[in-house]
Amino acid sequence: MQADQQGFDLLLNRFVATGQVKALLGGGRLLADRLEFDPSSRSVYASGSVRFQRGHQYLQASRLRFNLIQAEGELEDVYGVLNLETAESDFDLARQPSGALLPLSYWDNPDPLLNRQASFAVADGGPAPAASATAPQPANPKPLPGAQVLQALGRQPLAPAGMNPAPGVESYRSEAATVRPLAISDWRMPPVALAPQAQSMACPLLLPPIPNWHPYPLAVTLWGGQSIDSNFGETFQFKGRLRPEYELGLGFNKRLIDAGPVALEWDSNLLGHAALEQAGGEFNQSVKYANSPAQAFGELTTGLGVRLWVQPWLSLGFVQGVSWLSAPSNYEKTFRQNYTQFLNYLGFEIEALVAPQWSLVGRVHHRSGAYGTYSGVSEGSNAYLIGLRYRFGSSPARRQKLAMAPPLGCDDPGRGNRVRPKPLGEILNDVAMGPPGQGLAPTPAAQASGLAAPPVAPAQAEALRQQAIDASVDQRITALNYRGSFSLQRQQGGTGNFTTPTEVNIYGGVRPTQILSVRTTSNTQLVSGMVSRWRFQAATLTLSPEGWRGDRVAFSNDPFTPAQSWVDAEGVEARLLANGDTVIKTKRRRLILEDRLPIPLNPLQRNQVFKKEKDVDNRWVLASDGTDRNGFYIGNNLKPIKLGARTTLELQPQFMAQRALNGSTTSYVLPGQPAGDTPSSQPTRIGDLFGVVARLRGPLLGFSSDVTLNASTLDPSNFANGTRSWGELNRPINLPLLGEITTRFYGAYRYRIWNGSLGEQDIYSAIGVSLEQTKNLPNLGAIRNNYYARIGYGTFQGNLYQSTTTGSFSRSSLFASLNSSLPIWTGQPLDPSLASTYPYSPVPIVPGLSLSTNLSVSLFNYSDGNMQNSYSISGGPTLTLGHFTKPFLDYTQITITGGGSRRTGQSPLSFDQLVDLGTIGVGLTQQIAGPLVFNGGIGMNIDPNSPYYGNVTGSYVELRWQRRSYELGIYYSPYEQLGGIRVKLHDFNFDGTGVPFVPYQPSTAQSARDRPF
C-alpha cells in the first residue's frame, strides 16, 4: 500500500491511510482518497474517489465497506465496466486475473529492490531529465537522451525480459527513478491504468437537458385535397389518375401517450367532398360506365394513431379508425360491387415543421372494408390530402427519471441540496474516524456548465445539445471493436425449416448481400448471440458471497455516453454460478432508447442467464408455418435434458393454433397415397394439433453428432408425411499436405432446400459422406482469397426433374469454390476514437469501391450413367458512399453482380438441377433520414435460352431503424416467403472505462419527505 500519509490508530486498532491511497491486492489495484483496515474484524473502509480494477473489470464508487471474513459489503454511487467473459477469474482473488495491470507511471531506472537488473535492447548516452505528462510540449521537440529507452518501453511496456509482471514493479518506489510520459496510443490496456485517467474518476456529464421534440399535445389542421382513381397499394406508388372530387375540412389531434420519439394520438377529421360529374363504373347502375352526377357530401373520421419522430422537425404518422359518409359516394357505388357509408379508415402521413408550432402535412386518406369486414366491402376510395397544422397547448411535467448522483471526486452542483441518510454504524464510524471528508482529495470546483435554456425550436435545441456533447465529452474509450449482436426476432412465413447450409451464402457464387438466403442453419435461433461487455451504474450495491444486489441498477451495452440504449432494472440480484455463467434476476426492467423511449421488457422472464460460450435461449416461440403447420403455432423450448456428461436433448412441444381454428389441415397427402402426391384437405384429428421439434447433440464414437426431428403432427396416420429429420456426424482430421479437413456423415428424411428458379424442393431421403475444407489463401498483393472444397458420395431420393414422380440415385460429387476480393478505392476514414463517428452504425463506414469474384466447379456423376458438370464465374462491384454520420442520404451501398455457368449433362433429380445459367443481382442499402435505412435486393435468371428466363432467384426487402448500439428492423423475403421483426443489441470490445451514462441533472433542494430526519 502507498499513500501520502499512513499510520496505525492504537485507540481504534485500525490502519489508516490518507491521500492518493493505492493498494495492491491479488493482482488488483484499489485507489482511494482514504483507506482504513480493521485487522480484528478484517474490514476495509474506503472513501473518496474509490476505484478498483482487476483484469478486465473496473469499478468506482464514493464509498466502499467490505468484510474479508464474511465477504460482504456495500458500495455507494457505483459505476463500472463488467466483462462477462472474464468475470469468473477476475472476481476470484484466489485465481490469476485475466490480464495484468499497467503501472501508473514508468521509471527510467529499475528499482534496486527488484530481483534482478532490468535490461533493454537499445542503450543510449545517459538518463533523461524528468518530464511531466501534463506539461505542454513544443511543436517539434528535439530528441532527448533516453528517448530510445522510452521507445523500447513503449514496444514492450509490461514485462521486460526476465522481470516479474508489472504489478510487482509498482509495489515499490525509487527516489532515483524519473517519471516518463508515454503516449496513450502506445498503451495496450484500458486507459484507467494510465495517468492522468488512473488518477481521476469517470464522472457523469453535465449536458443540456434532452429537448422535447413535440412539446405541444394538441393540434388543428386545415385540410385540402383531391381523390385519386387507384387501389390502396397503387396509391403509394402514385399510380392512377386524379379525378374531379375535392376535399376541404378541419382536423383535430390530441396526444394521449408520450413515449419520447413515439406517441399515441387520437385523430379526428371533418371533411366536405365536392364531386363533379365524372365517368362511373360497371356496378350498381343501369348503364355500365355511365357518367355519375355531381354530388356533395360530408365525411367524419376518427381513430387512434401512432407517430414516430424521425428528426426533431420530421415525423411519420399512421391512423387506424373508422370513416362515415353523410351520403353514399357515387364513385364507391359504381366502381365497387359492394359499398356502404360506414367503413374502415387508414391514414398515412408525413409532417415537417416549418416553425415551432406550424407544420406542413401530407396524408394518404383511405377508406375500405378491411378485407370484407364491413358489409363485404373490399376497396373503397383514396385521396391525397395536404394540410397546414398548428400545434398548441402544454405537455404535463415529465415523470422523474432514475437519478444517480455523481460520486465523490466528481463535480456535483447539486450535492449541497441532497441529504444522504446514514446508517447508525456509519455515523458512529464517522465519529471515531473524524469528520466526513477528512483525508479526502479536494472536490473539484464546480464549473459553470453554461447550460442555457434550450431554444424553442426542437431541431435547434437538439443541435446545440449535440455540439455540447462533441465539445465536452472525454469518453475515456479507445480500441473500440464491434464483436456481434444479441438478436431477437419474430418470424412468419411459408415454412418453418431452416436447412440451407450456411456455406451457400459464402461460397455459392457472388450475390448482393441484400439477397442472401435467410433460411440458413445459422439463422435458426429466434434469439441468438450475447452481449459480453456491460457498463453499469447504481446508487448502492450490496455485495455477498453469492453475488450482489441493488434496488435500482442500470446496464448499457453502448460504450459511449450519452448511451443510445440502456436497461433500467429494479430489484436486481446477480449470482455467479459454479460453471462461470452469470444469472441476473430482476423484478421489473425496461429498455431505454435514446434516453427518450422506454420499452417494457418481458415480465415473464425475470431470470436472465448470461452464458460464456453459448447463445441465449428463447423459451416461447410464436411463429407461422403455412406449409407444414397450416399457419400460426405456439412452441415452448423446454429446459435441455442432460444425457450423460456432454450430450443434451432439446425439446420444443408445439400447439397448432391455426389448425385448431380451421378444423382441417391441407399439409399432408391423404393416408395411403404416395408421398409425392399433392396434399389434400382432411379433417383435423387430435394428434394433428400437436407437434414437436427435438434436437440431440453430443459426442458419439469420437464424432460430434447433431440430429434434428421436426414433426408437425403426432397423428399416426400422418406422422410419416408430417415428419422431417436430418442429422450428421463430423470430426476434423489432419491429412499430410492438406492440413485439417472435416469428415462428415449425414442423413436426411424429407429434407427441404431451395434451388434458384425451381424454388422449394424436397429430398425424400439421403445418406452419405463427405470431406470438406475451408481455408484462407495467402494474399496476392491487395487481393484476398479463400476457398471451400468438398468431395462426397451419397444416395438420394427426390422428385425427378420436370416430373412429379420420385427416383433414387447414388451420386459422387466434387465441388470447389474460390472467393476473391480486391479493394479498388478506399476513402478517408473518420477518427475511430470519436463517438461522432458511430451515430448510426456499430462500425465506422469507410467509402470505397471493391470487386468480389467467385470461381466454382462442380462435377456430379449419377448411378444411372448421367452426369452434370458445371463451371461458373460470378462477381461484381460494391460501391459505398458517405460515412453515415449526417442526417440525410449520407450512406449508400450499391452492389451489382452477374454470373454465368457452362453446364454439360443434366441431373435426373430436381433438387440439384442447375437451371440458372445466367443471373444478375442488384442490391441497395440507403440511408433515408437519420437512422431510417432501406435495405433490399433482387436476383433474376437472365439466360435467354432458359425456360425460367425472368424468374426471380432471390429477393429481400427490409426497413430498419439503425443506431450504433441497437437496431430495429422489419424484413420480408418474397422468394423464400419469410418475414419478421428483428431487434439487435450490439456487443463491443473496448479499452477504457467510459463515463457514467444515466442522464444526470443537478438536483434542487431535497423535499422534506426525502430527508432522513
Side-chain angles (χ1 to χ4, degrees):
M1 183 169 66
Q2 296 179 2
D4 292 342
Q5 295 182 353
Q6 298 186 44
F8 187 83
D9 192 319
L10 295 177
L11 296 178
L12 299 176
N13 192 34
R14 185 175 294 180
F15 290 97
V16 179
T18 59
Q20 303 185 70
V21 181
K22 179 179 71 173
L24 301 176
L25 176 64
R29 176 170 52 219
L30 177 65
L31 304 175
D33 292 329
R34 180 184 180 106
L35 182 68
E36 299 193 10
F37 176 67
D38 187 337
S40 58
S41 64
R42 296 189 62 80
S43 296
V44 176
Y45 305 91
S47 59
S49 302
V50 179
R51 288 143 289 159
F52 178 76
Q53 184 179 10
R54 190 173 192 267
H56 292 88
Q57 319 299 324
Y58 173 76
L59 191 68
Q60 71 175 37
S62 291
R63 296 172 180 83
L64 164 67
R65 294 181 290 275
F66 192 76
N67 185 280
L68 298 176
I69 299 177
Q70 299 175 346
E72 294 179 346
E74 188 176 66
L75 292 158
E76 295 182 13
D77 304 328
V78 187
Y79 168 77
V81 180
L82 176 66
N83 189 328
L84 295 175
E85 292 184 337
T86 62
E88 183 181 8
S89 60
D90 290 342
F91 287 129
D92 187 351
L93 297 182
R95 299 176 56 179
Q96 287 291 330
S98 61
L101 296 177
L102 290 176
L104 296 179
S105 59
Y106 272 83
W107 309 87
D108 253 2
N109 302 322
D111 195 285
L113 298 179
L114 293 177
N115 292 331
R116 56 181 297 178
Q117 186 77 8
S119 61
F120 300 98
V122 181
D124 61 357
S132 171
T134 58
Q137 301 293 329
N140 297 302
K142 297 181 180 180
L144 297 175
Q148 294 177 338
V149 173
L150 182 60
Q151 294 175 1
L153 285 169
R155 287 191 295 269
Q156 189 174 0
L158 287 182
M163 290 183 61
N164 293 328
V169 177
E170 60 183 17
S171 300
Y172 309 99
R173 172 170 289 181
S174 171
E175 294 297 334
T178 304
V179 178
R180 306 290 301 184
L182 190 62
I184 290 180
S185 60
D186 293 334
W187 294 81
R188 296 181 295 171
M189 292 290 289
V192 68
L194 309 179
Q197 290 191 1
Q199 308 290 350
S200 63
M201 299 283 283
C203 297
L205 309 176
L206 298 179
L207 297 173
I210 300 172
N212 187 354
W213 286 6
H214 37 86
Y216 308 106
L218 305 175
V220 292
T221 307
L222 176 63
W223 291 113
Q226 186 173 359
S227 296
I228 186 172
D229 183 11
S230 65
N231 293 329
F232 177 57
E234 296 173 340
T235 304
F236 293 92
Q237 304 174 36
F238 300 98
K239 292 183 178 180
R241 60 179 178 84
L242 294 173
R243 55 188 182 86
E245 181 176 327
Y246 306 94
E247 292 79 27
L248 183 65
L250 291 174
F252 177 76
N253 184 285
K254 176 179 174 59
R255 186 180 308 126
L256 302 178
I257 298 177
D258 185 357
V262 179
L264 179 67
E265 302 174 338
W266 172 57
D267 181 271
S268 61
N269 300 278
L270 181 61
L271 301 173
H273 290 251
L276 305 181
E277 181 180 351
Q278 56 188 292
E282 60 178 316
F283 301 108
N284 304 309
Q285 56 180 342
S286 57
V287 180
K288 291 184 178 182
Y289 306 110
N291 284 354
S292 61
Q295 70 169 154
F297 56 92
E299 179 183 6
L300 175 65
T301 71
T302 184
L304 293 177
V306 177
R307 183 170 303 278
L308 172 65
W309 293 84
V310 180
Q311 292 290 319
W313 55 271
L314 181 66
S315 68
L316 305 176
F318 166 74
V319 179
Q320 164 66 57
V322 294
S323 169
W324 176 79
L325 301 182
S326 61
S329 165
N330 288 340
Y331 172 81
E332 294 180 4
K333 180 179 179 180
T334 60
F335 278 87
R336 314 301 181 197
Q337 188 171 5
N338 298 317
Y339 66 97
T340 183
Q341 294 171 246
F342 187 73
L343 286 178
N344 186 68
Y345 176 74
L346 293 177
F348 299 86
E349 72 171 41
I350 180 170
E351 177 183 2
L353 293 179
V354 294
Q357 293 179 257
W358 292 92
S359 59
L360 294 177
V361 191
R363 174 178 288 198
V364 173
H365 179 87
H366 171 73
R367 278 171 44 89
S368 70
Y371 303 101
T373 303
Y374 293 76
S375 304
V377 176
S378 56
E379 279 284 349
S381 60
N382 300 285
Y384 293 130
L385 301 181
I386 297 177
L388 179 64
R389 178 168 292 167
Y390 175 73
R391 293 188 172 274
F392 60 98
S394 59
S395 300
R398 294 190 173 186
R399 187 182 66 176
Q400 181 66 30
K401 294 184 177 180
L402 172 63
M404 294 185 181
L408 296 176
C410 291
D411 182 15
D412 181 11
R415 180 170 289 128
N417 297 325
R418 289 193 304 273
V419 178
R420 185 180 70 90
K422 295 183 179 181
L424 178 61
E426 184 178 341
I427 295 175
L428 297 177
N429 191 58
D430 287 342
V431 173
M433 293 192 302
Q438 178 177 329
L440 299 183
T443 302
Q447 300 291 329
S449 62
L451 309 182
V456 177
Q460 187 178 0
E462 191 69 30
L464 291 176
R465 173 178 163 83
Q466 188 59 50
Q467 291 176 9
I469 293 172
D470 296 339
S472 63
V473 175
D474 176 12
Q475 297 284 354
R476 299 168 65 116
I477 291 292
T478 59
L480 184 68
N481 178 36
Y482 169 66
R483 299 190 53 190
S485 301
F486 170 80
S487 176
L488 167 67
Q489 53 186 329
R490 285 289 179 263
Q491 298 163 336
Q492 282 195 331
T495 177
N497 295 318
F498 292 74
T499 54
T500 303
T502 303
E503 288 80 7
V504 168
N505 278 343
I506 305 174
Y507 300 101
V510 175
R511 294 190 296 168
T513 57
Q514 293 88 346
I515 58 173
L516 298 182
S517 174
V518 295
R519 289 190 181 274
T520 60
T521 53
S522 62
N523 199 31
T524 305
Q525 294 291 332
L526 298 185
V527 176
S528 61
M530 69 174 296
V531 176
S532 60
R533 182 71 69 92
W534 291 93
R535 297 191 296 146
F536 65 95
Q537 201 171 339
T540 59
L541 285 182
T542 302
L543 310 177
S544 67
E546 295 78 23
W548 53 267
R549 65 182 184 273
D551 293 334
R552 198 82 176 266
V553 185
F555 301 89
S556 178
N557 65 308
D558 191 347
F560 291 113
T561 299
Q564 294 178 349
S565 59
W566 54 283
V567 176
D568 177 14
E570 300 180 39
V572 181
E573 295 183 11
R575 292 184 295 112
L576 187 64
L577 303 182
N579 63 356
D581 296 341
T582 301
V583 178
I584 296 181
K585 179 180 180 181
T586 62
K587 292 181 179 179
R588 285 177 297 275
R589 53 183 177 163
R590 56 179 186 160
L591 177 65
I592 310 294
L593 300 181
E594 311 294 346
D595 290 332
R596 289 182 172 94
L597 177 60
I599 302 176
L601 298 179
N602 185 5
L604 300 178
Q605 188 179 6
R606 296 183 178 178
N607 289 357
Q608 180 66 66
V609 180
F610 295 95
K611 300 189 176 185
K612 295 191 301 178
E613 299 177 354
K614 299 177 68 176
D615 288 343
V616 179
D617 295 326
N618 181 40
R619 182 178 179 186
W620 290 99
V621 175
L622 306 176
S624 176
D625 179 355
T627 301
D628 287 351
R629 291 166 172 80
N630 298 116
F632 178 73
Y633 68 93
I634 302 172
N636 184 274
N637 290 319
L638 303 181
K639 184 178 180 180
I641 302 173
K642 287 285 187 179
L643 303 177
R646 299 167 57 192
T647 302
T648 59
L649 175 63
E650 301 170 13
L651 295 175
Q652 184 194 100
Q654 298 175 343
F655 175 70
M656 312 304 162
Q658 190 69 47
R659 189 176 290 173
L661 295 174
N662 294 341
S664 62
T665 175
T666 57
S667 296
Y668 318 115
V669 301
L670 295 175
Q673 298 296 317
D677 278 7
T678 303
S680 302
S681 178
Q682 55 182 293
T684 299
R685 289 175 283 271
I686 186 65
D688 292 325
L689 301 181
F690 300 93
V692 67
V693 175
R695 187 177 186 184
L696 181 68
R697 291 186 288 181
L700 179 64
L701 303 176
F703 289 80
S704 297
S705 66
D706 190 345
V707 181
T708 299
L709 172 71
N710 188 334
S712 61
T713 178
L714 300 183
D715 183 76
S717 60
N718 288 326
F719 189 78
N721 293 315
T723 300
R724 301 182 187 274
S725 61
W726 55 92
E728 66 175 39
L729 298 172
N730 68 79
R731 66 174 295 179
I733 60 174
N734 284 297
L735 296 180
L737 302 179
L738 297 179
E740 185 176 288
I741 291 180
T742 300
T743 305
R744 194 183 312 275
F745 295 90
Y746 59 86
Y749 172 71
R750 298 187 70 236
Y751 188 83
R752 176 164 290 166
I753 66 173
W754 295 77
N755 184 13
S757 295
L758 296 181
E760 198 172 345
Q761 301 293 318
D762 274 338
I763 302 176
Y764 292 109
S765 65
I767 186 170
V769 61
S770 68
L771 299 176
E772 305 172 12
Q773 185 180 57
T774 302
K775 197 169 186 178
N776 292 322
L777 297 175
N779 293 344
L780 297 176
I783 303 176
R784 298 188 299 270
N785 304 281
N786 55 66
Y787 77 89
Y788 171 78
R790 181 185 67 241
I791 183 172
Y793 180 83
T795 300
F796 302 87
Q797 181 186 20
N799 285 333
L800 298 179
Y801 179 53
Q802 294 183 333
S803 173
T804 59
T805 60
T806 62
S808 181
F809 303 88
S810 296
R811 186 190 76 177
S812 59
S813 63
L814 170 65
F815 176 80
S817 175
L818 173 66
N819 283 340
S820 301
S821 63
L822 171 65
I824 299 174
W825 162 69
T826 302
Q828 185 68 30
L830 299 179
D831 187 348
S833 66
L834 300 178
S836 58
T837 303
Y838 309 84
Y840 307 119
S841 173
V843 296
I845 300 298
V846 181
L849 176 64
S850 63
L851 177 67
S852 299
T853 62
N854 173 267
L855 301 174
S856 65
V857 57
S858 61
L859 307 175
F860 294 166
N861 289 278
Y862 301 87
S863 56
D864 66 344
N866 281 320
M867 69 174 185
Q868 178 180 253
N869 300 333
S870 68
Y871 309 89
S872 303
I873 181 172
S874 61
T878 297
L879 175 65
T880 302
L881 301 174
H883 290 94
F884 207 2
T885 59
K886 299 178 181 178
F888 292 99
L889 306 177
D890 190 36
Y891 175 53
T892 302
Q893 187 175 78
I894 302 175
T895 301
I896 301 176
T897 64
S901 301
R902 176 178 174 82
R903 186 192 68 190
T904 59
Q906 184 170 284
S907 169
L909 296 170
S910 185
F911 79 88
D912 64 350
Q913 182 69 229
L914 181 60
V915 295
D916 298 315
L917 302 182
T919 60
I920 188 172
V922 178
L924 172 66
T925 302
Q926 177 64 60
Q927 178 197 21
I928 301 173
L932 191 62
V933 177
F934 168 82
N935 183 45
I938 188 171
M940 299 184 66
N941 183 321
I942 58 171
D943 179 9
N945 299 319
S946 170
Y948 305 102
Y949 175 78
N951 283 13
V952 174
T953 60
S955 58
Y956 183 85
V957 62
E958 178 182 18
L959 192 66
R960 64 176 180 246
W961 185 274
Q962 181 175 320
R963 294 289 271 165
R964 172 182 61 242
S965 67
Y966 70 93
E967 180 181 310
L968 311 174
I970 302 176
Y971 66 92
Y972 180 67
S973 172
Y975 174 71
E976 296 182 307
Q977 301 177 31
L978 181 71
I981 300 173
R982 181 186 293 118
V983 179
K984 289 183 177 181
L985 291 179
H986 299 316
D987 184 23
F988 299 89
N989 256 345
F990 57 89
D991 293 344
T993 67
V995 294
F997 55 89
V998 175
Y1000 168 71
Q1001 291 294 323
S1003 60
T1004 57
Q1006 193 173 26
S1007 62
R1009 68 179 182 87
D1010 292 332
R1011 296 181 181 273
F1013 303 109

